[in-house]
Structure formats: C-alpha cells, structure tokens
Amino acid sequence: MFPNPKTGKPYHSCQNAWDTFRRRAAMPDLKMHDLRHTFASMMLDSGADIAGVQHALAHTQLKTTVVYLHLTEARKRTYTNAAAQATGVSPDSSQS
C-alpha cells in the first residue's frame, strides 16, 4: 500500500520500522498486538458496543472479540453509579 520511497516497491515487512519505533519509545517489549488490544479497549471505553469492536478488528466470530471485554475501573464506576441512581442506593453506603 505504501511503497518504499527508495525502491518504489511495496514493503514486505514493517519489522525494521517497528523495532526502530520500540527502541526510540523505550518500549522494547511492546508488541503490535498490544496496540490492537489498546485500540479495542479504547473503543469499548468510549462507548462502542462489542459488535462495533468486532467489525473494527475484522473478527469473523464474536467470541474472538469477547476477550477484549474486561472491565476498566472507569467503566466499573460508571455501571455502579448507574445502578445506584436507578435504585436510589448510594454506591458508598455499603462501606459504612
């Protein structure tokens, strides 16, 4: 898709660019899949539904996408506060 400016031919691998990025970012253990995981988590945190994430990640089966559903602390707080508002119970009342 993006030709090498020196050769005009397509790149066959992005490994050199990836290694350079990780070294400059001082993140030698970062994997490309980590970026994909972060993208999925950020979509979910922004309110996207699981089907939208499935589509964005081009997963053919929903069960493949479900692994990204672990709840973040912010989402847990949002759900707790919504439940508390719906029931009229203070989310802090159980800690008395």
Side-chain angles (χ1 to χ4, degrees):
M1 186 165 158
F2 299 105
N4 182 326
K6 293 180 184 175
T7 66
K9 296 181 181 179
Y11 287 105
H12 294 284
S13 171
C14 61
Q15 194 60 47
N16 288 341
W18 181 246
D19 289 340
T20 300
F21 166 79
R22 291 185 308 159
R23 187 177 61 255
R24 289 181 182 171
M27 302 173 88
D29 297 327
L30 186 68
K31 297 170 186 60
M32 284 190 195
H33 186 77
D34 297 334
L35 300 180
R36 186 174 172 85
H37 188 86
T38 299
F39 173 71
S41 296
M42 291 173 80
M43 282 187 70
L44 291 166
D45 285 344
S46 297
D49 63 18
I50 192 68
V53 176
Q54 175 190 11
H55 179 74
L57 296 178
H59 289 158
T60 57
Q61 296 187 8
L62 189 60
K63 68 181 182 181
T64 306
T65 312
V66 170
V67 300
Y68 295 98
L69 275 178
H70 34 177
L71 295 174
T72 64
E73 288 303 314
R75 222 175 318 146
K76 287 179 187 176
R77 271 193 303 281
T78 299
Y79 294 155
T80 300
N81 289 337
Q85 184 177 4
T87 61
V89 175
S90 170
D92 297 322
S93 64
S94 63
Q95 297 176 0
S96 309

